[in-house]
Amino acid sequence: MAPTFSTSDSLYEFVVKEGNGVKGLVDSGLSEVPERYVQPEEKRINKLRTRKHNIPPIDLSKLKGPDHKKVVDEIVRAAETIGFFQVVNHGVPLELLESLKDSSHRFFNLSPKEKSLFCPGVSPSTKVKYATSFAPEKETTLEWRDSISLGYTTDQDALQYWPNQCKEAALDYLKSASKLVRDILEVLIESLEVKVEESIVDIHSGMKVVKMNYYPSCPNPDLTLGVGPHSDVGAITVLLQDDIGGLYVKLDEDNNNNNNNNNNNQKEWLEIPPIPGALVINIGDTIEILSNGKYKSAEHAVRTSSKSRVSVALFNFPKPTLKIGPLEELVKKDGVARYRRVLFQDYMNNFFTNTHHGKESSLDFAKST
């Protein structure tokens, strides 16, 4: 019999404090979406008002060969417009991607008691965090998602502190995908046609986190969101989707010719459908700021499904002590600095201490006044 919650606080206690997560709700026999998870109508993704991203994936293996310029142009065009693209022949073994999805399911299928060992405050490492929603202590409406974040310091720490169910696959993914992150960042920075230090890629993507997301089956996906609208704060994100999908990108006015309404909630959502063997590449705020706005970090969100699903992201951040800002030579060429220089720790604090409220809620923090 499904548990009943007399108050919103009692549901919060069960889901968040006791570590049951959304999966615990669903496993208990939940037949309808609790009020605390029902998104305001203006925040929901109406599938009837979306369209699918139909641009073919980019073949990264062709970066080395006669089609180099064509592939570079494809990467740059995507980064300048929606900030998302998919890649194939990326160098990450397909069997590793399957193993990664399997290991994600293994972890989230643990009992609530076993998963709660990785909750903040009791986790064996501050770099390992099992959580639900995004900022449940601040959110009026909760997100339909459980997750575990695996911050990387050394191989030894990863193998010691990351959960046994997923540590080896997650570490292999981090190492393998980091190579394509470097290749893509080098393409983007070289295409800016300004002189930069050789270490610029490492400086802006040296801190790495693997995040495994679990979206339990939802009784009414139209009412909920797995992840609310936001842009990623780092340099670049590599995302593995399973075959169910649910990732959507919000088009801005420049890319939405069918929409003349400037209301942010009426902008068109573009579905990023899963492609077998492909990885999704997401440009983050750090690269938009570094490029003085030439490249775009896209606002994106996740719609839930009647089927449970997983995704695995590799986030690549600057170190917290780095001051991020537009490249000086670009500012001279553009005649304006669209963003100010900010300490990345401050930028992260602004993002992680607030709820998901769209791209501008984080990027505005660095905009020049």
Side-chain angles (χ1 to χ4, degrees):
M1 183 176 174
T4 56
F5 302 102
S6 57
T7 65
S8 178
D9 286 345
S10 61
L11 180 139
Y12 182 90
E13 186 77 20
F14 177 83
V15 173
V16 180
K17 294 285 185 68
E18 295 175 13
N20 288 287
V22 188
K23 189 175 187 300
L25 275 181
V26 173
D27 289 348
S28 69
L30 189 78
S31 59
E32 59 183 39
V33 175
E35 190 66 31
R36 188 77 190 267
Y37 285 93
V38 176
Q39 293 286 338
E41 194 164 348
E42 69 274 8
K43 278 195 167 187
R44 300 173 198 168
I45 298 177
N46 185 335
K47 223 173 177 185
L48 297 176
R49 296 179 185 170
T50 68
R51 60 186 174 91
K52 288 193 176 183
H53 181 264
N54 55 11
I55 297 174
I58 297 171
D59 187 343
L60 279 191
S61 68
K62 293 183 178 179
L63 263 180
K64 295 177 174 65
D67 291 330
H68 174 82
K69 187 178 184 307
K70 177 176 177 289
V71 175
V72 167
D73 289 345
E74 289 173 348
I75 292 171
V76 170
R77 190 182 310 116
E80 288 178 342
T81 51
I82 66 169
F84 268 86
F85 52 97
Q86 300 203 60
V87 294
V88 292
N89 296 325
H90 38 62
V92 182
L94 299 186
E95 59 269 23
L96 172 56
L97 299 183
E98 292 306 311
S99 173
L100 198 58
K101 288 183 277 189
D102 291 344
S103 65
S104 299
H105 280 288
R106 276 198 303 276
F107 174 77
F108 289 106
N109 281 332
L110 292 174
S111 69
K113 185 177 180 181
E114 290 171 298
K115 286 181 289 192
S116 66
L117 295 175
F118 297 97
C119 285
V122 297
S123 177
S125 168
T126 56
K127 300 287 186 181
V128 180
K129 177 185 174 185
Y130 168 67
T132 191
S133 196
F134 177 68
E137 68 284 353
K138 295 189 175 183
E139 291 163 336
T140 305
T141 307
L142 297 173
E143 298 177 352
W144 196 266
R145 170 188 64 155
D146 300 330
S147 66
I148 185 158
S149 297
L150 309 170
Y152 178 80
T153 48
T154 65
D155 289 7
Q156 182 179 355
D157 282 354
L159 294 173
Q160 181 175 352
Y161 297 120
W162 293 5
N164 291 332
Q165 293 74 19
C166 56
K167 64 185 179 184
E168 292 181 356
L171 186 56
D172 287 346
Y173 177 59
L174 181 149
K175 291 189 167 185
S176 189
S178 291
K179 295 172 185 173
L180 74 96
V181 168
R182 170 175 287 280
D183 288 344
I184 291 170
L185 286 177
E186 285 178 350
V187 163
L188 293 174
I189 290 169
E190 285 172 12
S191 297
L192 294 174
E193 298 181 337
V194 295
K195 291 180 181 177
V196 294
E197 296 178 10
E198 284 186 17
S199 60
I200 190 167
V201 168
D202 294 329
I203 289 172
H204 287 84
S205 63
M207 189 171 74
K208 299 183 184 295
V209 175
V210 174
K211 186 165 192 175
M212 294 180 161
N213 301 298
Y214 184 82
Y215 305 96
S217 57
C218 183
N220 192 339
D222 292 335
L223 299 179
T224 59
L225 285 175
V227 181
H230 70 288
S231 56
D232 292 347
V233 296
I236 197 171
T237 304
V238 182
L239 180 74
L240 169 65
Q241 297 197 84
D242 63 11
D243 59 355
I244 297 170
L247 177 64
Y248 289 79
V249 177
K250 185 173 275 189
L251 299 180
D252 62 24
E253 286 85 354
D254 293 336
N255 295 309
N256 191 355
N257 297 326
N258 299 322
N259 183 5
N260 295 317
N261 190 332
N262 287 333
N263 184 326
N264 188 57
N265 295 320
Q266 298 302 316
K267 292 179 186 177
E268 188 175 24
W269 284 104
L270 187 67
E271 183 182 359
I272 310 295
I275 296 174
L279 291 167
V280 180
I281 305 300
N282 166 15
I283 305 301
D285 290 351
T286 295
I287 293 301
E288 174 158 343
I289 293 167
L290 185 78
S291 68
N292 204 29
K294 177 181 172 68
Y295 301 134
K296 310 298 182 187
S297 63
E299 183 171 329
H300 57 286
V302 174
R303 198 177 187 276
T304 60
S305 168
S306 58
K307 298 178 180 177
S308 62
R309 60 176 287 260
V310 294
S311 69
V312 186
L314 171 63
F315 295 103
N316 300 269
F317 303 104
K319 290 185 178 178
T321 52
L322 181 72
K323 276 200 166 184
I324 59 171
L327 294 169
E328 288 184 16
E329 204 172 323
L330 276 181
V331 172
K332 288 177 185 175
K333 283 171 65 175
D334 296 343
V336 61
R338 295 182 176 89
Y339 301 97
R340 60 191 179 92
R341 287 173 59 77
V342 296
L343 190 68
F344 188 65
Q345 180 69 67
D346 294 340
Y347 195 83
M348 282 198 300
N349 289 346
N350 176 67
F351 178 77
F352 287 108
T353 56
N354 288 292
T355 59
H356 282 149
H357 277 302
K359 171 178 175 175
E360 298 308 319
S361 64
S362 57
L363 205 54
D364 277 354
F365 183 79
K367 281 190 175 174
S368 296
T369 54

